[in-house]
């Protein structure tokens, strides 16, 4: 049996010389080497979409910042994950996410267990410089066990991907464009009427905020568990 090995590339991240496999992204390599790059849409076990842009990094000889989760390593790459420019845009993106939805942590069921909140704390984001849009969006409580609150959704599409790629139900999708984009179930019917949802709860657990939660939870009570995802992915690789 021939074991296919990917070639090793050498690159520099934050001044450190690092060896990586050619099929690895900057984000993966950084994590393996204890270098933290924030991320939201990326989740191990799901496909890459590079939509949240929280993981932007500076790569020498590139004018624009690149998403670390969707950029593969190259020989001789010089990456900076924490320059003034990176920090400036990272903070701006996070503030825009907060301004665009209704993220009132004090009354959220995911308060204390929210990846968006964690990032705001990590970045020291104590205020938002942009006008809040204060959208009035639908809260769908028609499912027997779960709730989806579009006001808290950051459109990371983890729910869409886990439902399609892991559960195979294809219940969720992104509907509309730009500021009018929203997550829908089936053909924009209410979740409780969905013919495809298997009520597995995977979307609930991968949602990084309080947008998809279990019913009956009070403020701060919703705890998400994503451990199942790397396990299921690994088992599929083993069986393939
Ligand atoms: Fe890279 Fe979202 S984590 S774009």
């Amino acid at each position: 049996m021939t074991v296919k090995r990917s070639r090793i590339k050498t690159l520099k991240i934050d001044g450190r010389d690092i060896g990586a496999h050619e099929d690895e992204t900057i984000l993966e390599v950084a994590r393996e080497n204890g270098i933290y790059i924030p991320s939201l849409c990326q989740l191990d076990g799901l496909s890459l979409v590079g939509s949240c842009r929280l993981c932007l990094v500076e790569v020498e000889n590139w004018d624009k910042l690149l998403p670390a989760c969707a950029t593969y390593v190259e020989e001789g790459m010089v990456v900076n994950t924490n320059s003034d420019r990176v920090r400036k845009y990272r903070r701006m993106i996070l503030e825009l996410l907060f301004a665009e939805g209704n993220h009132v942590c004090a009354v959220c069921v995911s308060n204390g267990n929210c990846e968006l909140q964690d990032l705001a704390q990590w970045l020291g984001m104590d205020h938002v410089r942009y006008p809040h849009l204060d959208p009035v969006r639908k809260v769908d409580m028609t499912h027997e066990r779960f709730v989806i609150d579009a006001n808290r959704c950051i459109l990371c599409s983890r729910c869409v991907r886990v439902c399609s790629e892991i559960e195979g139900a294809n219940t969720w999708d992104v509907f509309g464009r730009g500021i009018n984009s929203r997550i829908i179930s089936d053909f924009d019917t209410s979740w409780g009427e969905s013919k495809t949802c298997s009520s597995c709860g995977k979307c609930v657990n991968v949602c990084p905020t309080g947008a998809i939660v279990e019913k009956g939870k009070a403020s701060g009570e919703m705890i998400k568990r994503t451990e199942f995802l790397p396990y299921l992915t690994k088992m599929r690789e083993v069986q393939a």
Side-chain angles (χ1 to χ4, degrees):
M1 189 174 77
T2 314
V3 179
K4 194 172 167 253
R5 290 185 192 276
S6 61
R7 279 180 295 172
I8 300 293
K9 306 273 181 186
T10 49
L11 67 155
K12 240 185 217 312
I13 304 184
D14 294 346
R16 283 171 56 187
D17 289 315
I18 286 173
H21 294 279
E22 63 181 348
D23 55 356
E24 287 186 296
T25 63
I26 295 174
L27 185 66
E28 286 171 318
V29 175
R31 282 181 183 166
E32 282 162 17
N33 287 276
I35 299 167
Y36 177 68
I37 299 176
S39 59
L40 269 179
C41 65
Q42 186 277 341
L43 194 60
D44 286 344
L46 297 183
S47 61
L48 294 172
V49 288
S51 62
C52 76
R53 289 333 222 202
L54 253 306
C55 68
L56 287 178
V57 292
E58 216 165 31
V59 177
E60 208 171 85
N61 298 325
W62 280 82
D63 288 342
K64 58 180 188 177
L65 300 177
L66 300 178
C69 72
T71 306
Y72 288 90
V73 295
E74 281 175 22
E75 182 62 37
M77 217 175 205
V78 178
V79 181
N80 194 337
T81 73
N82 205 21
S83 66
D84 288 347
R85 186 166 160 237
V86 168
R87 283 201 300 273
K88 177 182 151 193
Y89 283 102
R90 197 179 269 163
R91 166 90 189 235
M92 184 191 291
I93 292 163
L94 195 65
E95 285 184 42
L96 287 170
L97 283 176
F98 271 86
E100 193 266 338
N102 292 317
H103 302 284
V104 186
C105 301
V107 294
C108 180
V109 289
S110 285
N111 187 12
N113 304 297
C114 170
E115 292 180 44
L116 186 68
Q117 186 186 42
D118 290 345
L119 277 182
Q121 284 173 348
W122 181 74
L123 283 174
M125 195 197 88
D126 49 9
H127 66 286
V128 172
R129 292 165 293 173
Y130 308 104
H132 284 272
L133 297 184
D134 299 324
V136 180
R137 297 185 185 139
K138 192 170 149 191
V139 181
D140 184 346
M141 299 187 66
T142 57
H143 191 282
E144 215 185 344
R145 291 166 44 210
F146 311 127
V147 180
I148 178 164
D149 181 348
N151 295 287
R152 295 176 180 149
C153 176
I154 56 166
L155 291 169
C156 66
S157 79
R158 284 188 190 179
C159 55
V160 178
R161 286 174 284 150
V162 81
C163 188
S164 161
E165 297 165 13
I166 305 295
E167 182 62 9
N170 290 304
T171 299
W172 299 114
D173 210 342
V174 181
F175 178 85
R177 287 183 178 274
I179 196 73
N180 296 316
S181 304
R182 59 193 169 88
I183 299 293
I184 57 165
S185 48
D186 287 358
F187 292 106
D188 206 9
T189 52
S190 55
W191 194 359
E193 288 168 30
S194 169
K195 300 270 189 291
T196 58
C197 175
S198 61
S199 302
C200 68
K202 290 185 176 70
C203 56
V204 178
N205 282 298
V206 300
C207 171
T209 69
I212 311 185
V213 294
E214 290 167 10
K215 261 186 182 170
K217 297 285 185 197
S219 175
E221 282 186 357
M222 185 68 224
I223 293 174
K224 309 289 181 97
R225 301 188 194 287
T226 55
E227 308 85 59
F228 72 92
L229 201 46
Y231 172 75
L232 285 181
T233 316
K234 191 81 205 155
M235 291 313 287
R236 285 184 181 190
E237 278 170 18
V238 169
Q239 283 172 11

